[in-house]
């Protein structure tokens, strides 16, 4: 049960592993598509670490690289920038008709959303939002401490008139930075209107405006393919897109890590810590297991019953292939235990199913090879373990063991031998075929029929014995077993003869130390023995019970192979209907 529980926990490993693989593949494919087709890695890099500060010389180099599509790194290209163009480097138009404008509706040209201004050096455009746009009033993430003193003085100088007198006594750069940040936090709109183009401090990214429609003096302005603009009308990467992509990537990453942790936790917990007794895993008993344990009539909780059952199994002396056991409880009652798997191996049965089936010996009515154990008045079936092979005859072993250790089973079996009728047997056709062959053989040999009621009862018992033995044989055994038992009449005559005239070992025979070749034991004083009807002066003798068992198995002498009257063996053609039924079922 512990191995089953551990294996049930480990069954989740494949599910965990699939989740890891699928999540990783999905994350990898998403990253690959975003990297190749959308350059998400560059946008993420610039969004997290940008804007990158560029002075005028660095910006000129950046523009030249943009024109030639060159970059120092293909994967970590700088796009989101904070530039320092110096004072009065951006064209200031005093005539509104000379301003290049972009409209929300190019047809009506009523609402201006952006303006384009020329930069003297380098030769590019700056695209600025108009006052009607939300981004015009935005607070840009300026890093003022990176600007030069000259630019900082320009900023302070162009702030409200009372600022000019304030900075005259400042020596340290940090004083300018603190003051500018304070003023920017107060009124970002006024700051953007007065400072950005005047002092040339801008935050944005380069792009080519060749497909944009702009107008100047009522005419459409033509942008060329070589024109470049610095766009500051919108964020470099919209926050909602960054949030969505980030959440998806984070979800896939956390999901992958979560199942990796579960996978490793199960391995460490079940295969290492539990194996060496460093941790305990609570054992859960299914309802089916508890119902099976209830049959043992034991006191205590289900777990206590399980430990008691485990003790019975360990002490069991009657076991076959570690899958079929006969145990005895504290009240000396016998129980048959069928394990669905080998005790020494792990199981693959369903976790909710019981790995064992318990049947009281007193409930057993019939044991058959193909159907299993039939118990109760309604002859309910307990099938043999699914791992049973053709070489494993559970039925024969269980019958022999119960005949030896259970008086109740022996009594019920004897009653079947005496009272069973041919019409109630499963193997009716095969049995009737045997009886017909016997009667035909009697007619040929012209044997006289004994009308004694006792003799008839013995013959009936032996016929039932042979029929019930067939119940416990597989179809393969019947095909390949070519040794025929002695006929029911011959065995009945043998039993009647030696029951009426018992032959007992005397002192002389005991001293001769004659060995019974069947059981390999010496004949002892006052034991009953019987000779085999072999030709010749010296008869081969055996224990009476040994010879009876031998006659019921084979009609040949164990020593000289001399044959007595036997049951005709069925042909392959006779067994074909039953073989076909077995294959279909």
């Amino acid at each position: 049960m512990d191995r089953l529980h551990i294996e049930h926990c480990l069954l989740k490993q494949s599910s965990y592993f699939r989740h890891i693989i699928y999540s990783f593949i999905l994350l990898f494919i998403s990253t690959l598509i975003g990297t190749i087709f959308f350059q998400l890695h560059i946008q993420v890099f610039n969004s997290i670490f940008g804007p990158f500060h560029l002075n005028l010389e660095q910006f000129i180099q950046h523009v030249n690289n943009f024109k030639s599509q060159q970059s120092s790194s293909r994967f970590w290209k700088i796009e989101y920038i904070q530039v320092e163009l110096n004072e009065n480097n951006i064209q200031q138009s005093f005539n509104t008709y000379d301003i290049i404008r972009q409209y929300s509706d190019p047809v009506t040209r009523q609402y201006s959303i952006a303006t384009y201004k020329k930069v003297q050096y380098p030769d590019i455009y700056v695209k600025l939002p108009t006052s009607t746009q939300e981004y015009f009033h935005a607070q840009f993430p300026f890093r003022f401490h990176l600007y030069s003193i000259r630019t900082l003085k320009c900023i302070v100088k162009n702030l409200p008139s009372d600022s000019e007198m304030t900075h005259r006594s400042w020596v340290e750069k940090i004083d300018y930075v603190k003051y500018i940040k304070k003023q920017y936090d107060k009124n970002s709109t006024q700051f953007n209107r007065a400072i950005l183009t005047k002092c040339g401090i801008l935050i944005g990214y380069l792009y080519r405006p060749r497909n944009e429609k702009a107008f100047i003096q009522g005419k459409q302005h033509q942008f060329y393919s070589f024109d470049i603009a610095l766009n500051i009308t919108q964020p470099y990467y919209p926050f909602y897109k960054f949030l969505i992509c980030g959440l998806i990537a984070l979800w896939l990453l956390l999901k992958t890590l979560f199942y990796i942790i579960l996978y490793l936790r199960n391995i460490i917990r079940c295969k290492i810590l539990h194996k060496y007794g460093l941790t305990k895993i609570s054992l859960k008993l299914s309802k089916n297991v508890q119902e099976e344990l209830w049959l043992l009539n034991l006191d205590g909780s289900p777990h206590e019953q399980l430990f008691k059952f485990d003790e019975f199994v360990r002490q069991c002396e009657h076991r076959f292939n570690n899958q079929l056991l006969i145990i005895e409880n504290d009240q000396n009652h016998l129980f048959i235990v069928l394990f669905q798997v080998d005790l020494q191996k792990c199981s693959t049965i369903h976790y909710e199913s019981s790995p064992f089936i318990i049947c009281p010996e007193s409930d057993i009515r019939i044991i058959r090879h193909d159907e299993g154990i039939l118990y109760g008045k309604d002859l309910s079936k307990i099938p043999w373990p699914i791992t049973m092979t053709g070489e494993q005859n559970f039925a024969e072993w269980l019958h022999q063991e119960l005949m030896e250790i259970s008086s109740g089973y022996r009594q019920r079996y004897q009653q079947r031998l005496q009272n069973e009728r041919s019409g109630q047997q499963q193997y009716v056709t095969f049995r009737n075929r045997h009886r017909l062959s016997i009667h035909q053989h009697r007619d040929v040999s012209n044997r006289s029929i004994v009308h004694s009621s006792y003799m008839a009862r013995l013959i009936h018992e032996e016929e039932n014995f042979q029929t019930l033995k067939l119940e416990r044989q597989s179809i393969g055994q019947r095909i390949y077993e070519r040794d025929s038992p002695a006929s029911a009449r011959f065995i009945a005559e043998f039993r009647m003869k030696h029951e009426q005239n018992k032959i007992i070992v005397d002192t002389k025979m005991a001293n001769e130390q004659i060995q019974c070749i069947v059981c390999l034991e010496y004949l002892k004083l006052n034991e009953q023995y019987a000779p085999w009807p072999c030709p010749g002066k010296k008869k081969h003798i055996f224990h009476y019970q040994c010879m009876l068992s031998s006659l019921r198995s084979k009609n040949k002498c164990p020593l000289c192979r001399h044959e007595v009257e036997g049951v005709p063996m069925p042909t392959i053609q006779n067994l074909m209907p039953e073989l076909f039924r077995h294959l279909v079922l």
Side-chain angles (χ1 to χ4, degrees), residues 188-315:
S188 60
T189 302
Q190 185 179 3
F191 186 95
N192 293 339
R193 190 194 308 268
I195 303 299
L196 297 188
T197 57
K198 182 66 177 177
C199 297
I201 60 169
L202 303 169
I203 290 180
Y205 56 93
L206 295 179
Y207 79 107
R208 297 188 182 274
R210 59 179 176 269
N211 295 324
E212 293 184 350
K213 289 185 178 182
F215 300 88
I216 182 172
Q217 296 181 356
K219 298 179 181 180
Q220 183 172 348
H221 178 76
Q222 181 67 43
F223 287 111
Y224 298 98
S225 60
F226 53 82
D227 286 333
I228 298 174
L230 179 65
N231 189 1
I232 63 171
T233 61
Q234 60 186 15
Y236 167 71
Y237 194 71
F239 176 74
Y240 73 92
K241 290 185 179 180
F242 185 78
L243 180 63
I244 292 173
C245 294
L247 289 177
I248 293 174
L250 184 63
W251 173 70
L252 291 174
L253 181 62
L254 291 179
K255 183 181 178 183
T256 304
L257 292 176
F258 174 74
Y259 282 107
I260 288 175
I261 292 172
L262 289 180
Y263 185 83
L264 296 177
R265 172 183 172 271
N266 248 11
I267 291 178
I268 295 173
R269 185 166 173 249
C270 298
K271 289 192 174 182
I272 299 176
L273 297 180
H274 183 69
K275 180 180 179 181
Y276 295 102
L278 300 178
T279 186
K280 294 182 179 179
I281 300 177
S282 59
L283 187 62
K284 297 179 182 178
L285 301 182
S286 66
K287 183 180 178 181
N288 292 328
V289 172
Q290 296 184 35
E291 290 177 353
E292 294 296 333
L293 293 173
W294 177 82
L295 294 173
L296 293 174
N297 195 24
L298 299 174
D299 297 328
S301 66
H303 286 83
E304 292 174 339
Q305 295 175 10
L306 180 64
F307 277 104
K308 193 66 177 178
F309 172 59
D310 182 67
E311 182 182 341
F312 293 154
V313 171
R314 293 178 185 276
Q315 296 174 354

Side-chain angles (χ1 to χ4, degrees), residues 76-107:
W76 311 116
K77 183 169 62 174
I78 293 176
E79 290 184 347
Y80 187 35
I81 54 177
Q82 167 185 287
V83 298
E84 186 176 1
L85 299 178
N86 298 335
E87 189 175 2
N88 298 322
N89 193 14
I90 301 176
Q91 170 193 352
Q92 301 293 329
S93 298
F94 298 101
N95 188 349
T96 57
Y97 292 101
D98 295 335
I99 299 175
I100 303 173
R101 298 180 181 275
Q102 183 184 31
Y103 297 93
S104 59
D105 186 358
V107 177

